[in-house]
Amino acid sequence: MNLKQLAEELGLSQTTVSRALNGYPEVSEGTRQRVQAAAERYNYRPNTRAKGLATGRSMVIGHVIPASTQHEMVNPIFGDFIAGASNACAERGYDMMFTRVEDGDEEAAYRSLMAKGSVDGVILQGPKVQDGRIDLLNRIGLPFAVHGRSSNVAAPYTWVDVNNTSSFRRATEFLLDLGHRRIALINGLESMDFAKRRRDGYLAALEAAGISADSALMSSQEMTEVSGHHQTRDLLNGDNPPTAILSASMISALGVRRAIEEAGMKMGKDISVITHDDDLSYLKNGQDVPIFTATRSSVRNAGRILAQMLIDRISDPLVPAQNALLEAELVVGRSTGPAPVA
């Protein structure tokens, strides 16, 4: 069924049906619901190209991927985020496009996408503490939304983020309540905003408990299984090893567990571990009982929310920048227990 046939079936003009399906405010809620119900009943799907011609939009959301971070394309966290975002885009008639560029060519890529009209907006991933992309996109006027935040950017912009500071403060407090005093932090790269905030939460909890931070217990590297393994191995081989470890990623936590097992120790008894869990589709934290105690927040849900916010901003440029701060749930698993007696 095409738009003309759907309009005839409803006894409405094609313009009214199109506006109802695209969320225009001048269409009454009753008409909108009637049109949407008919579209579902007749399995009607708008022609994206025709819709773009009618609205003057490309109906595409873009992602610019620098060469140095292209490995993120196979990262399960990125994959789950894109799954959530693409579902939201599809519901609103949008496609997604990925552009790979050499490092340092991002500005030219964004300007080109805007000049060509290739995309209606872009999603930014992995914001740094000081991220120049946000200022650039505000200046050139290309709609965008950020997965995360940039601490040193004061200008308003649309973002969705996890409350990393409070989640890692809460995780650290949980370990302190179990009697742990030597708590290590295996963090992501702290030029990244999320990692800086997680470190802030960890340090705030130690300070409130009157415990001095020990730089020997804090490390910052790319979040891979191998790096988690190496960092944990070094900690356990130190003169005064920790009794608990905070890991910034489920992927890193797998390496943490491997190093603990290789040392002949039992996770949850000899040493406790808390990680951040993005509730990944293909990397679940156990089933009935979680393997790891974790701060859990769905990255797929974050992708869905962010895409919806960006499309709202594209549809009405006068809509103020929107923000969503998602709280992580502390899920208790088998990886934590009371601090071992010396």
Side-chain angles (χ1 to χ4, degrees):
M1 174 174 282
N2 58 33
L3 179 64
K4 180 180 179 182
Q5 292 168 329
L6 181 62
E8 289 175 349
E9 184 69 28
L10 289 164
L12 299 169
S13 70
Q14 293 182 50
T15 299
T16 298
V17 172
S18 177
R19 288 177 177 273
L21 291 171
N22 289 300
Y24 281 79
E26 60 266 32
V27 179
S28 70
E29 185 59 30
T31 299
R32 189 189 325 282
Q33 292 179 4
R34 182 179 163 217
V35 170
Q36 289 175 341
E40 291 178 7
R41 185 165 63 251
Y42 294 113
N43 197 29
Y44 170 75
R45 294 292 181 271
N47 182 293
T48 302
R49 184 176 180 185
K51 185 176 179 181
L53 291 171
T55 61
R57 300 183 187 138
S58 66
M59 307 305 297
V60 176
I61 299 297
H63 296 259
V64 173
I65 312 294
S68 62
T69 60
Q70 62 184 334
H71 62 280
E72 290 296 326
M73 296 285 284
V74 295
N75 187 316
I77 297 172
F78 182 79
D80 257 41
F81 176 88
I82 292 300
S86 61
N87 284 341
C89 286
E91 290 171 1
R92 302 283 288 271
Y94 273 81
D95 293 319
M96 303 187 81
M97 181 177 78
F98 300 87
T99 302
R100 180 195 175 281
V101 300
E102 295 299 324
D103 291 347
D105 290 345
E106 284 183 83
E107 178 172 347
Y110 288 125
R111 290 186 181 276
S112 176
L113 289 173
M114 184 172 181
K116 293 176 180 177
S118 305
V119 300
D120 294 327
V122 291
I123 289 176
L124 303 189
Q125 298 280 354
K128 296 183 177 180
V129 174
Q130 180 69 55
D131 202 305
R133 295 175 297 173
I134 295 171
D135 177 63
L136 168 68
L137 292 170
N138 272 328
R139 281 190 285 109
I140 68 176
L142 179 60
F144 70 96
V146 184
H147 181 208
R149 287 177 284 171
S150 181
S151 296
N152 291 350
V153 175
Y157 58 94
T158 294
W159 55 260
V160 172
D161 197 11
V162 177
N163 195 338
N164 290 294
T165 303
S166 71
S167 65
F168 266 55
R169 177 167 184 159
R170 186 181 179 196
T172 306
E173 290 170 344
F174 181 81
L175 292 169
L176 291 168
D177 288 343
L178 288 171
H180 295 278
R181 293 298 179 267
R182 296 281 294 169
I183 302 171
L185 173 65
I186 294 180
N187 206 1
L189 295 171
E190 290 176 0
S191 59
M192 310 300 290
D193 195 84
F194 79 89
K196 182 256 184 193
R197 292 179 187 273
R198 290 178 184 179
R199 182 187 180 106
D200 288 347
Y202 161 81
L203 292 175
L206 292 181
E207 182 180 2
I211 297 174
S212 299
D214 184 347
S215 60
L217 295 179
M218 294 179 279
S219 58
S220 167
Q221 294 184 23
E222 192 170 11
M223 298 182 298
T224 66
E225 193 275 347
V226 171
S227 69
H229 173 267
H230 289 177
Q231 291 171 87
T232 303
R233 182 190 59 193
D234 293 343
L235 285 166
L236 296 180
N237 288 334
D239 293 333
N240 190 8
T243 64
I245 297 173
L246 273 175
S247 169
S249 162
M250 178 70 74
I251 299 170
S252 300
L254 296 177
V256 172
R257 180 174 66 174
R258 180 161 65 95
I260 290 170
E261 291 173 348
E262 288 176 356
M265 303 173 73
K266 183 175 177 60
M267 187 172 69
K269 180 181 179 183
D270 301 312
I271 185 165
S272 291
V273 178
I274 298 182
T275 188
H276 181 73
D277 176 15
D278 287 291
D279 196 18
L280 303 175
S281 303
Y282 294 97
L283 189 59
K284 287 295 185 183
N285 184 16
Q287 295 180 336
D288 296 335
V289 180
I291 298 169
F292 292 98
T293 296
T295 56
R296 177 181 293 170
S297 179
S298 169
V299 71
R300 181 181 289 248
N301 184 48
R304 179 185 61 79
I305 294 170
L306 189 67
Q308 290 174 339
M309 290 165 63
L310 176 56
I311 294 172
D312 286 344
R313 192 155 178 79
I314 291 167
S315 300
D316 185 357
L318 298 180
V319 170
Q322 302 179 67
N323 305 141
L325 186 60
L326 310 178
E327 295 296 337
E329 174 189 13
L330 182 64
V331 179
V332 179
R334 299 193 296 268
S335 68
T336 50
V341 179

